[in-house]
Amino acid sequence: MSMLPKTLVVCLCVCGALAQEPASFARARQNGVRFDEGAAAMQRVLTAWLEHADSRTLLLPDRLPGLRGLKPGDTRRLYTPHNSGADLYPYLILTAHLTDPDLYHGRLLEMLRNEVRYTTAQESIPANLEMSTGELGPPSLFGAGEYAKDGLLAVTELLGRTPWFYRMVDMTADAMARAPVASRFGNLPASDAELNGDYLQTLVRLATMTGDRRFLEWARRIGDAYVEEVLPGNHGVPSSKWDFDKHAGDGQLRLRDHGNETVVGLSLLYALEAYRQTPRAARYRPVLARMFDRILESANPDRMLYNQIDAATLKPKDAALSDNWGYVYGAVYCFYQVTGEEKYREAVRRVLRNLPKYRNYDWERSSFDGYADSIEGAIYLVAREPVPEALDWIESEIRVMTAMQKPNGHIENWYGEGNFNRTVLLYILMKSQGCRPDRWVPGLRLGAVSEGERLHLSLEAPKGWQGRIQFDFARHRRVLNLPKNYVRLNEFPEWYTVDENTLYRLRAPSGAEEIRLGSELVAGVRLAPGNWTIDSLGKPPYGPAQRSR
C-alpha cells in the first residue's frame, strides 16, 4: 500500500473504517448529512429574507416581487400579523436560534420589540402595517389568533418561555377579553371554525402553562359552543361558518387550512378534560367520537381527506385532497391517546401505509407549501407510529420540496417560505433524534439513531469547531405541563429525550466513558467528533451494580 497515492491510502482507510462501522452508526452518519443539508437550506431562507427587511421597523413584508409574490407594478410593503407574523417570522427565529445565536439574540429580538412598538393597535392586539407609509390598520383578532397559534406557539413548543411566549400570553388574553361574537355560552372570537380553532389550540396550552383560570374558561366556552350547538346542528362535524343568533351554518366542513382548526382544538381540549376527569370529558367524548367517525367516513379509499365536504352527505366539493390531512389525523390520534380506542390508531396507521401512492402529489397547484404541510403532518404521526412506508415517503418528498429552493434562497417569494424552514427543521430534528448543536456551522453533521434507552450519535464537524451538543427532554411535561405527549399542531416531536434527574453513560469514540446527569445533557455538553453511545443508567436510586458500570 505504500506505493499507492497518499489520497488513495486515506480513502481506503476511511472506507475500511466505514465498512467495519456498526449499521446503527452508519445510519446515524447518513442522518448527519441530512441535518447539515437541511440547516444550510434553512440558513439560505433566513439570509434571503433579512435582505428585504424594512429599514425603519426591521419587519418583513408578506410578499416580494416574483413567483406567487407581488404582481408587476405592485409596490406595497405590507406586514400582517396573520401572514408574515404567523408563518414567516417565527421560523426565522427558530432558524437563527440554531444557526446564528447572535442574530437570534440581536436582530430577531429587535424585530419583536418593533413588532410590539409599531403594530400594536389596542392593548396587546396587533394590526396590519403598511411599512411604506406607516399606516396602521384596525386591531385584528384574526391577526392575533393566527400569530399566536401558527407562530408563537411553535416557538414556545421548542424553546419554552422566551420573550415570544409572553407576547402570546398577553395578546391572547386581550383578544379574548374583546371577543365580539355573542353566543349562549359567552362571547366567542369568531363565527368561523378557523379562528375559533386557532384560539382554542392556543388557550389549552396557555391554561396548562400559566395556571391562569381565564384561559381554561375561555377554551371551555369555545368547546361548549361546538360540542353542544355547532356539531349537533351540523350533522356531527364543525361548520365552516356558524350563525350563533340563527343557530345555523353553511353546512360545509373544510378539512384543509382555514377550517380544520376547530377539529384539532377540540381534541386537545378533550384530552385535558379527560385527564382532569371533569364532567365535560364524559359529555364531550361521544360527540367527538361521532365527529371523527364522520370525518373518517368521508375519506377516499386510501383514507386521504378531501379539502372540503358537505356536512350532510359527506360528499367532497371536488377531487382535491387536503395537504393538511396529517393535522386532522393528529387529532384522531390524540383522541386515541386519551380513549385507547384502537380503531382510531388503526385509521392513522392505514393512511400512513398508503402514503407511497402519493409521491410527488400535486397538493397545492405544485406549490412547495403543500409539500411542507403534508410532510409536517406525517412527521407528527411517525413520531408515534414509525410506519416504514411513511418514513420512506417523507424521505422522497422532502427532496422534492427542498429541490424547489432557488440559489438565492427563496422558493416562491411569499411569507409561506417560513413553512419551508418549519418543515425542514422538523425533518432534521428527526434525523438527529432531537439533539442540536448550540450553533450549527456549515459542515457540521449531527445524526443519531435511537434503540430504546440507547442513542447512537454521529458527530462530524469542521476543523477547529468547538461547541456543545444539547439533548432533548420531555418538553410536553416540563414546558407545557401536559400529562401526556399528545399529538398537537405546531409541536416539535420528542424523539430521544433524557430525564433531567437520571444518570447517563457517554462512551466516546476513544472508548473512554463518563457519567452525566440528564440535566447536563439538556444544557449541552462538549463532544469530540466521532461516534458516541449514550446509555441511560435507569431511574435512581442506583445500586452497586449500576454505580460500577
Side-chain angles (χ1 to χ4, degrees):
M1 185 177 286
S2 59
M3 300 297 293
L4 294 175
K6 184 176 180 181
T7 54
L8 182 57
V9 172
V10 172
C11 179
L12 289 174
C13 292
V14 171
C15 292
L18 292 177
Q20 300 172 14
E21 188 176 50
S24 55
F25 281 122
R27 289 169 52 207
R29 181 188 295 271
Q30 188 59 41
N31 287 345
V33 173
R34 300 289 177 244
F35 188 99
D36 185 38
E37 293 172 346
M42 293 166 57
Q43 178 67 10
R44 289 194 293 272
V45 172
L46 171 64
T47 301
W49 272 98
L50 290 184
E51 293 178 358
H52 299 282
D54 180 62
S55 59
R56 180 174 69 106
T57 67
L58 301 183
L59 299 179
L60 302 174
D62 282 7
R63 297 181 184 274
L64 306 172
L67 177 67
R68 297 183 189 267
L70 294 173
K71 295 179 181 179
D74 192 338
T75 60
R76 289 178 299 169
R77 297 271 295 171
L78 184 66
Y79 166 89
T80 66
H82 59 275
N83 287 334
S84 182
D87 294 331
L88 178 60
Y89 173 50
Y91 300 104
L92 301 187
I93 295 168
L94 295 178
T95 299
H97 187 269
L98 176 68
T99 66
D100 194 337
D102 294 335
L103 188 66
Y104 167 82
H105 291 290
R107 186 169 178 180
L108 273 297
L109 188 55
E110 181 66 13
M111 289 169 71
L112 175 63
R113 299 186 191 106
N114 286 348
E115 185 264 313
V116 171
R117 179 182 180 184
Y118 292 107
T119 77
T120 300
Q122 183 181 47
E123 293 188 321
S124 297
I125 304 171
N128 297 350
L129 175 67
E130 174 50 68
M131 294 181 290
S132 59
T133 64
E135 181 181 356
L136 187 65
S140 172
L141 263 66
F142 178 65
E146 287 276 294
Y147 183 28
K149 188 267 290 182
D150 278 332
L152 302 179
L153 266 185
V155 175
T156 300
E157 282 269 358
L158 191 60
L159 303 185
R161 292 175 184 259
T162 65
W164 292 277
F165 165 75
Y166 299 103
R167 174 66 169 136
M168 174 172 58
V169 170
D170 288 352
M171 183 175 66
T172 302
D174 289 340
M176 285 301 303
R178 283 154 185 76
V181 177
S183 79
R184 63 188 175 93
F185 309 95
N187 279 20
L188 305 174
S191 58
D192 62 86
E194 178 183 17
L195 192 54
N196 283 330
D198 284 347
Y199 279 98
L200 186 54
Q201 291 180 51
T202 301
L203 290 167
V204 173
R205 268 110 144 184
L206 293 184
T208 58
M209 289 188 74
T210 67
D212 186 334
R213 67 182 186 182
R214 294 179 303 163
F215 293 115
L216 182 56
E217 290 171 355
W218 284 324
R220 285 172 166 170
R221 184 184 299 177
I222 299 171
D224 288 351
Y226 278 82
V227 169
E228 297 183 24
E229 179 172 329
V230 180
L231 269 63
N234 195 55
H235 307 282
V237 297
S239 177
S240 294
K241 296 184 183 300
W242 187 263
D243 189 320
F244 286 94
D245 290 326
K246 297 179 180 179
H247 309 290
D250 60 6
Q252 298 295 304
L253 170 62
R254 287 174 63 91
L255 292 172
R256 58 155 294 146
D257 197 15
H258 314 301
N260 64 48
E261 291 81 1
T262 292
V263 173
V264 177
L266 286 173
S267 187
L268 196 57
L269 175 59
Y270 169 67
L272 182 58
E273 299 289 354
Y275 170 69
R276 297 188 174 189
Q277 299 181 325
T278 68
R280 272 187 176 82
R283 291 205 314 272
Y284 280 21
R285 178 169 177 168
V287 180
L288 266 60
R290 183 176 183 233
M291 176 184 74
F292 287 125
D293 290 345
R294 299 214 79 216
I295 289 173
L296 294 174
E297 188 181 346
S298 76
N300 76 3
D302 296 323
R303 315 320 294 164
M304 275 293 172
L305 303 173
Y306 294 99
N307 275 337
Q308 185 168 321
I309 60 174
D310 180 83
T313 66
L314 300 183
K315 291 182 179 180
K317 180 180 179 181
D318 53 45
L321 297 178
S322 172
D323 59 314
N324 294 165
W325 62 269
Y327 301 0
V328 178
Y329 275 101
V332 171
Y333 199 86
C334 177
F335 194 66
Y336 154 71
Q337 289 177 296
V338 179
T339 66
E341 291 189 63
E342 282 290 332
K343 70 176 183 178
Y344 297 112
R345 179 190 184 199
E346 182 51 36
V348 170
R349 290 178 59 82
R350 182 174 175 182
V351 75
L352 291 177
R353 287 194 296 266
N354 283 322
L355 280 176
K357 298 179 183 180
Y358 295 88
R359 294 191 194 278
N360 209 2
Y361 182 79
D362 185 8
W363 294 106
E364 279 190 2
R365 293 169 297 164
S366 302
S367 172
F368 80 90
D369 192 48
Y371 286 90
D373 289 358
S374 191
I375 296 167
E376 174 196 12
I379 290 175
Y380 293 154
L381 297 173
V382 298
R384 280 80 177 184
E385 296 287 344
V387 174
E389 294 91 339
L391 290 166
D392 289 343
W393 179 87
I394 289 170
E395 293 298 330
S396 66
E397 304 313 285
I398 198 77
R399 282 157 184 71
V400 174
M401 186 188 78
T402 53
M404 298 180 184
Q405 188 176 33
K406 301 169 187 173
N408 68 0
H410 287 292
I411 305 98
E412 292 174 357
N413 292 44
W414 60 292
Y415 60 87
E417 291 181 2
N419 295 336
F420 176 95
N421 276 28
R422 173 208 64 204
T423 297
V424 172
L425 181 57
L426 284 163
Y427 174 75
I428 66 174
L429 289 177
M430 179 174 72
K431 291 300 178 181
S432 70
Q433 293 293 286
C435 296
R436 292 174 282 171
D438 58 2
R439 184 185 189 118
W440 171 84
V441 295
L444 194 157
R445 299 174 173 180
L446 178 64
V449 172
S450 59
E451 296 176 352
E453 295 294 315
R454 171 171 290 180
L455 184 73
H456 302 279
L457 186 146
S458 170
L459 174 62
E460 299 178 82
K463 184 178 180 180
W465 176 81
Q466 290 187 341
R468 295 179 181 273
I469 302 300
Q470 299 168 325
F471 289 69
D472 203 7
F473 59 103
R475 287 174 281 108
H476 74 276
R477 181 165 53 90
R478 297 295 199 184
V479 175
L480 272 72
N481 297 320
L482 291 174
K484 186 181 289 187
N485 190 16
Y486 304 113
V487 180
R488 53 200 183 273
L489 186 58
N490 293 314
E491 67 165 321
F492 285 86
E494 298 165 13
W495 302 96
Y496 182 86
T497 59
V498 298
D499 179 79
E500 293 87 341
N501 293 307
T502 294
L503 293 174
Y504 292 83
R505 180 180 59 213
L506 283 66
R507 186 180 299 117
S510 65
E513 296 183 359
E514 56 183 284
I515 304 295
R516 294 293 187 98
L517 275 169
S519 56
E520 296 178 274
L521 300 182
V522 171
V525 291
R526 295 193 183 277
L527 301 180
N531 293 335
W532 288 80
T533 301
I534 294 88
D535 285 303
S536 167
L537 297 185
K539 287 284 190 180
Y542 298 99
Q546 289 172 295
R547 286 196 295 267
S548 64
R549 284 195 299 175

